[in-house]
Amino acid sequence: MRVTESKAYNSNFSLKTDIPVVSVRSVSKRFPGAIALDNVNFDILEGEVHALLGENGAGKSTLVKILYGIYSPDKGEIYVMGRRVRINSPKDAIKYGIVMVSQIPQIIDRLTVAENIILGLEKYGLTSRVSEVREFIKVKSKEVGIAVDPDIEVWKLSYTQKQLVEILRALLIGAKVLLLDEAITFLPLIEKRKFYKFIRNFADKGGSVVLITHKIYEAMDIADRITVLRLGRVVGTVRRDEVTPDDIRRMMFAEKSAQITYERLPTSKPREVTALEIRDLWVMGDYGVHAVKGVNLTVRAGEVVGIAGIAGNGQKELIQAVIGLRKVEKGSIRLYSEDVTNKGVTKIRSKGVGYIPDQPARFGVSLDNSIEENLAMLPVVTKRLIKWSAVRELARKLINEFNILTPSPKTPVKLLSGGNIMKVLVSRELFIAKRLLVAYNPTRALDEVTAIMVRRIIKEKAIKEGVGVLMASEDLDEIFQIADTIAVINSGKIVGSFPGDKADRDEIEKLMVM
Amino acid sequence: MRIVLVKRIRPLPLGGVLIPLFSIIIGVLISTVILYVIVGASPIVTLSCVASSLISPEIILTFLFLTILGVALLVAFSGSIWNIGAEGQLWLGTAAAAYVALFTSLPQAPMVAKIVMVLLAMAFGGAWAAVAGVLKAYLSIDEVPVTLIMNYIAYYIINYLVRGPWLGKETWGYIRTDMIPDQVKFTLIPGSTTITYEVLVLTILTIALTYFMLKYTSLGLRIRVLGSNPDVLKAAGVNVRVLIIVALAISGAIAGAMGAAQLAGYLHRISYPIESHTANYGYTAILVAWLSMLDIRAVPIAAYIVSALYQAGISMQIAGVSGASATYVFIGAVLLTFTVLRVFSEYSIKIVRG
Amino acid sequence: MEIASYILTVAPAFMAYYLASLGQGFFEKSGVLNLAIDGVFVLGIAIGYAAGVYSGNPWIGLLVAIAAAALFGMLLAYVTTKFPISHGAAGLSIMFLGYGLAGLIGVTARNTYNQLVASGVYPQYTLPITPTARVLMFVIPILIGILFYLVETKTKLGAAIRAAGENPHAATALGVDVVKIRLIAAAIGYSLIGAGSMGFLTWIATWSEGAGINHGWIAYAISLAAGRHPILTIGTAGVFATLATYMFALQAAYNLSPEIAKMIPFIVAIGAMVAFMATPLRKKLAPPLSLGRRFFKEERTV
C-alpha cells in the first residue's frame, strides 16, 4: 500500500459556505436490464475536491453523466446553489458551470484545438470566426501553466496533451465544478502530480472538483471528502482525514474485500521454449510517424511479460503488430520459431493466439450479436458450416466459468453491462489462446474482483499450460501484480526490462516519462 | 416534462406484424390525401385501386421478381453494404441470358440452355457488383455512388449492344433484339399468361438457399456481423475485404438470376432504350428489403405489398400522368411511415419529469 | 473555343450541377447521408416550374423551389437525428416521394400552362438566359462556393457542422446542439439544391414527367468525386457540365455512338473517386467519420 504524500495536496479543509454548489437528491436511473443508480443523494461543496469511489459498474460515471446532461434521471432532482434545475444537455450543464472531462478525450480529431474550444463558448455566435478565440486561448493557457497551439489539429496530439486540452477547455468555458471521470487515472504519477497541483489550485480559488476513480490511493492523495458508491447506492460520504484506506475498501466491496489484494501473483518459472520473439521491430503509427522504433522483446512459454508505459508510446501499435492487425515495416516476429511477420490476423490466430484489445467494443466483441455469435464468428471456432449445438455448449461453459450476467447466450451483448461485455471478450480469448495471449489493458473495464480473477487465470494459463503472455497495460498496479518480466516502453522503444518480483516502481515510472 | 425514448429489452409484441401493417395503412392514407390535393383524385378511386391490387393476379409476377431481388439486396444490406446497383446487375443478367439464347447454339438443348442462361447471368451480375466491392474493400470508396453509377454504365453498354451487334432481324422498325427461341422460353403455368414454373422454382430456391447460407454457414454469420462491426471481424481473423466483395458478388449474382428470369420468363427480348423499358425493380426492391427488416422470412410479404402498391399506381390512370408517379407516392409514403414507426419496435416512449 | 462562348453555353448546366453538388456536400458534412438528393432535385424542378407557371415569374419559381427543397432537407435531417432512424431508408423514401410528387405537381402545372398558352399567355418559368444572366449563372455560384469554403474552415458554424459530422456524440459533449446544426446545414444545403434545380429547368427549358431524374445522382457523384470540398467541386462540376452540354458536339467530332458518349461522365466520376482515394489526398477529402451513422443518446457503451 502506497504511502500518500497527502499533506502537500490537502488544504485545511473547512466549509466555505453552507449551501452546496451542486446537490443531487433521490436520483435513480435504469438502463435496459440493469439499475445504474438507486436513490442517490450527493453534495458538492464550494472549494472542495470530492472523490467518488466505487468499482466498475457502481454508478459513478452514470451519476456524473447525469450532472453533465448526457443522461436524464428517471427520478430525482438536481439543485445548483439551492435552486432546482433541469439539466437536459451538456449545454445546460455548462451554463451552470458544470463541466466534465472523461477518460477518453471528447475533443474531435479532425478539428483544431481552437475549433473544439469555441464550440463550447456561448458568447461566440455561430457566425464568429474561429480566430477570435486564439488570443483568449493563448492567454488563459499561460495562466494555468499549460502550453498549447490553438491551431493544431487534435489528431496530432498525444493522449496527455489531449487531456490537458480537455481541462483547458473546461476552464475556458467557465467551469466552476469540474467533473473528472477517471480523467487522470491512467497517467503515471509524475504527470498525475502536475494535475494534482492544478486541481488543488482550482479548489483553493473556489472551484469544486469531483474526481471519479476506482483507485483508493488516488482518493486518499487528493480528496477532501470521499463518497463511496456500490451497485448504484451511496454507501457513505466521509472526510478524507477521518478514514483509512481499509475503511474505504470495506465500504466499496463489503464482503468481497478479502479477495482484493494488491499483492503479486506467484512468479512463474518460464519454459525453455521461446513463445514469441520480436526482433528490431518497426511499426508505423496512425499519423505517418513510426510508433514502434526498433523493439526487441522475448516472451518465453509460460512467462508473462508486462509492458508498462504511458498510453501513446507505441504499446498499442506493438500489440496490434503482433496479432497481425498492423503492418510491420522492418524487423521480425517469430511465434514458436515460425516467422509470422505480416502474415495476417487469420494465420496468426490459427496458431492459437488470443487477443484482448484495448477497445473491446470496437475490436473485441460485436455488440449487436449474441455471445454465441461472438464465438461462432471466429475462424478458429467454426469452419464453413456452423454447428450451433457445439457453440451453445461452449457459450454456456464460459458463462458459468466467468460468471457472466446475461439473460441468455442468445442475448445481444450490448444489453449487458460494461463489465460483463468485457468478461465475454476475455473469456473467449482466454479459451482460444492455446499458445500465446496478447493483451492491452485487459482488465480496464472490469470491477476489482473480476479483474483479479482474470489476472489469476492468465497467470495460471502461463504456469500450467505454458502459454506465453504479452500484456501491455496502463495500470501499473496490474503489471506489478502479474508480470514475470516488466518491460518499459517509451517513445516506441523498450527502455528497460526488469524481473517482476524485484522491480522498483519509482525507477519504472521515471523510465516511463523520461 | 420530456418525452424520452428508451430501448426495449424485449421487442414489442407482434411488432413485426403491427408495424408494417400500420405503415402500409397510414402510408396509403397519406398517399390518398396527396393524390386528392394535387390532382384531385377521388379518395374512393384511390382506395379501391389499392384494394383491388391486393387481390389482383396481375401482381404475382412482380411479386416473384421483387422477392428474388429483395433477397438479393437483403444479403448486401445485412452487411451494411448499400447495393443500389441491383438495376444494372439484373439487366446485365438479362443481357448475358440473351447472349446465350440468341447467339450460341445451346438452345438446341433447351434444359441446358436455360440453366446456362441463369448461371451466366449470375456470373455477370456478381462480377458487376464485385467491381464496386473491390473499390469499397481496397479503397474505401463508398458503394452508393459506385453501384448507382454502374447502373447507368450497364444501361448504356446494353443499349449499345442492342442498337448495334445485337440488333434483331425481325423487329418491325423497333430497335430491339430478336425474340429468344421458343424452346428456351420458360414454361407457362396453365391458366396464366405471365407466371412460369421456372420462375417459381427460382424464387423458392433463392429464398431457401439464402436462408440456409445466412443462418448455418460462417459466411452468412460474418456477413451479418459485417453489418454492425467490421473491425471485430478483422480482429477475429476474418478477411473483411474479401468478405465485402463476396457479399456484394452474391447480391449481384442473385439479381442477375432475376434478370435471366425476366428475359426467359416474361420479356423474351430486349428493347432499346433500356431506361424507358425498365420497371425499375432494382430500386423498388430496396423498399422490399427494408420493409422486411432484414428478416428473410418477411421478404415475400414485403414483396407482396410493394407489388400491390405498384399495381395500384398503374391502375390509377390519372390523366397525363404515367402510373409511375402515383406508384412512387405510394411507395415513398409507406417507406417513410415505416421508417419512422419502426422506431417503436425497438424503443418505447417514456414521459420523464425533471 | 473561346472562354466567353464556353462560359455562356455551359452556364445553366454548371449552375445546376455545381449548386446542387455544393449544397449536397455542405449538407453531408453534418453527418446525414443524403440519399434523398435525386428526389428533391426532381421535385425542385417540378415545383419551380409550377410556381413559375402560376405566377408568371421565374424568380418566384426560384424562391418556391428553394423553400420546398429546404423543407424536405430539414425533414430528412430532423428525422434522422432526433430518432434512431436509418439515414438510407429515410433518404430513399423522400426520394420516392419526391419523384411521385414531382410528377403529379408537374402535370397539373402543365395542364395550366397549356391552357394559358391556348389563350395567348406565356408565363415565364425559366430564369433569364441573356448573356449577362448566363455569366451570373457562372459567377454567382462560384462566389457562393468560395463563401462556403470560408464558412466551413473559418467560422464556428463550419466547425460545428464538421463536428456533428465527425462525431455527433462528442460534438454534443463539446456543446453543439446537433439537431439545430444539422437543420441549419440542411436548410442551407438543400436551398442550394433547390436553386440548382431551377438552373436545370432553365437548361432543359421544357418540363416533362421525370425531368431531372438521375441528375441529382450526378450531382451526388460530382460532390463525392471532389471530396465534398467546395472549391474542388467547381472543377468536377465544370467537367460534368461541359460533357453534358457538349455531348452532341463531342459525338460528332469523335464519331462516338451516343451510348458511349453518355457513359463518359459516369466513368469519369468513378475514375476521379478512385484517383483521390488511392492517394494521400484522402486525409483532407475523406467523408465525415460519422456520415450515415445513427445518432441517439441513452445508448450504453463499454
Side-chain angles (χ1 to χ4, degrees), chain A residues 271-484:
Chain A
R271 318 284 164 90
E272 291 292 317
V273 186
T274 304
L276 181 69
E277 194 183 355
I278 302 172
R279 287 251 152 275
D280 193 34
L281 201 71
W282 288 76
V283 179
M284 196 65 101
D286 285 333
Y287 306 122
V289 185
H290 281 111
V292 179
K293 302 183 197 154
V295 161
N296 291 298
L297 208 52
T298 309
V299 179
R300 285 166 289 179
E303 178 184 19
V304 176
V305 173
I307 301 182
I310 306 176
N313 274 283
Q315 57 269 70
K316 175 182 92 168
E317 291 82 355
L318 174 63
I319 297 280
Q320 285 176 343
V322 172
I323 191 66
L325 280 174
R326 200 174 272 265
K327 191 166 147 234
V328 169
E329 309 277 326
K330 225 169 61 172
S332 71
I333 303 175
R334 302 185 97 84
L335 186 65
Y336 288 91
S337 304
E338 186 183 340
D339 187 0
V340 291
T341 323
N342 285 328
K343 289 281 192 300
V345 187
T346 319
K347 186 107 193 276
I348 293 175
R349 285 280 213 169
S350 70
K351 306 247 169 245
V353 178
Y355 171 52
I356 303 178
D358 176 51
Q359 287 170 279
R362 217 184 130 199
F363 290 106
V365 286
S366 174
L367 293 177
D368 288 319
N369 295 91
S370 67
I371 297 181
E372 288 182 355
E373 289 170 335
N374 270 289
L375 290 170
M377 77 168 80
L378 284 129
V380 297
V381 173
T382 53
K383 298 297 160 209
R384 283 194 210 283
L385 290 176
I386 303 179
K387 247 181 103 190
W388 285 109
S389 51
V391 174
R392 194 162 309 138
E393 220 183 278
L394 176 60
R396 282 199 210 281
K397 180 174 140 208
L398 294 177
I399 289 175
N400 286 334
E401 203 180 309
F402 281 78
N403 219 9
I404 303 176
L405 279 165
T406 172
S408 108
K410 288 201 204 296
T411 317
V413 163
K414 63 184 168 187
L415 296 180
L416 308 180
S417 77
N420 282 300
I421 295 176
M422 197 62 189
K423 284 188 198 179
V424 171
L425 171 62
V426 170
S427 60
R428 181 187 79 184
E429 293 304 319
L430 286 175
F431 170 72
I432 294 174
K434 302 270 183 257
R435 297 164 90 204
L436 178 72
L437 175 70
V438 279
Y440 184 26
N441 291 328
T443 65
R444 184 172 9 213
L446 296 174
D447 61 88
E448 202 74 46
V449 177
T450 314
I452 301 253
M453 179 184 105
V454 165
R455 290 173 204 147
R456 282 222 177 94
I457 296 184
I458 293 179
K459 208 59 204 272
E460 264 171 34
K461 264 188 114 63
I463 296 177
K464 292 210 184 104
E465 296 172 35
V467 175
V469 178
L470 179 64
M471 188 170 96
S473 178
E474 288 154 26
D475 184 347
L476 208 43
D477 290 329
E478 174 167 63
I479 302 261
F480 270 93
Q481 258 197 293
I482 196 177
D484 299 313

Side-chain angles (χ1 to χ4, degrees), chain C residues 116-270:
Chain C
L116 287 172
V117 165
S119 56
V121 179
Y122 287 84
Q124 177 71 14
Y125 56 84
T126 54
L127 295 172
I129 46 175
T130 63
T132 324
R134 284 170 182 268
V135 170
L136 288 176
M137 274 187 204
F138 213 86
V139 167
I140 292 182
I142 291 183
L143 288 177
I144 295 179
I146 296 176
L147 175 67
F148 268 48
Y149 175 71
L150 292 173
V151 166
E152 268 177 39
T153 53
K154 303 242 185 277
T155 65
K156 181 173 174 181
L157 174 63
I161 290 177
R162 282 155 48 219
E166 284 295 306
N167 189 339
H169 291 279
T172 309
L174 287 168
V176 175
D177 184 342
V178 175
V179 174
K180 180 174 131 188
I181 285 295
R182 283 187 174 171
L183 283 174
I184 294 177
I188 298 176
Y190 262 89
S191 292
L192 287 186
I193 295 176
S197 60
M198 270 309 282
F200 190 83
L201 179 63
T202 306
W203 181 35
I204 59 174
T206 41
W207 184 89
S208 57
E209 199 179 353
I213 287 189
N214 301 327
H215 289 268
W217 287 122
I218 292 179
Y220 191 73
I222 289 173
S223 167
L224 263 63
R228 298 178 187 81
H229 190 287
I231 309 292
L232 290 181
T233 308
I234 297 177
T236 47
V239 168
F240 269 93
T242 309
L243 284 170
T245 314
Y246 288 104
M247 184 101 72
F248 291 116
L250 280 173
Q251 251 171 255
Y254 297 99
N255 204 16
L256 292 167
S257 83
E259 282 73 41
I260 308 289
K262 280 190 211 169
M263 255 197 264
I264 294 180
F266 294 103
I267 299 183
V268 166
I270 294 193

